[in-house]
Amino acid sequence: MSKKRLATVWLGGCSGCHMSFLDLDERLLDLAELADVCYTPIADVKEFPHNVDITLVEGAVANEDHLRDAKKIRERSGILVAFGDCAITGNVTALRNLFNVEDVLSRAYRDSMIVGGVPEGDGIVPKLLEKVLRLQDVVAVDYFLPGCPPPADVIFQFVVDLIGGKTPAVTGRKFGS
Ligand code: SF4
């Protein structure tokens, strides 16, 4: 059986989902037997490749770069997974939806006096969307892998199932139990 092409993407998230992915530890070697990781923020690959079999997307869609990238990634991926609660619900990233986007920028760049104003110019700070969006608000999502972050054991079984052509079963403690 040929190896699957696996990608992981970091949009509007804290990178905690990727830290949990790295918590696979020695099982990363098992995963490497089953799949080639062709794109990930952990490696220095600049352009999202074509013909990716499975892509895990961490984070919500918070700015115009995320929006453009989510659409490109969808086009180039066979299976797209919303990886973690920020991608699925907006979660922490969407807390800024409680505020006007100009107020958010002012708070971050002007009031804090970190850089003395909102940076301007192409390619410096991507334009924020008026509202943070869930991944499924902008592209079709095939699977959802919940958690903040999803535990490494769950990630491993989920990805191995997908590689094996199975529908992953995400199980865990029910709310309130
Ligand atoms: S789901 Fe949690 S761990 Fe993952 S990016 Fe969002 S805040 Fe970070």
Side-chain angles (χ1 to χ4, degrees), residues 155-168:
I155 296 171
F156 183 70
Q157 193 57 51
F158 192 97
V159 172
V160 167
D161 282 350
L162 279 182
I163 290 171
K166 295 184 202 159
T167 299

Side-chain angles (χ1 to χ4, degrees), residues 10-20 58-60 83-93 145-150:
W10 180 13
L11 299 183
C14 74
S15 89
C17 292
H18 273 86
M19 293 302 107
S20 199
E58 172 192 320
F83 177 33
D85 288 351
C86 288
I88 297 171
T89 70
N91 196 32
V92 177
T93 311
L145 176 49
C148 180

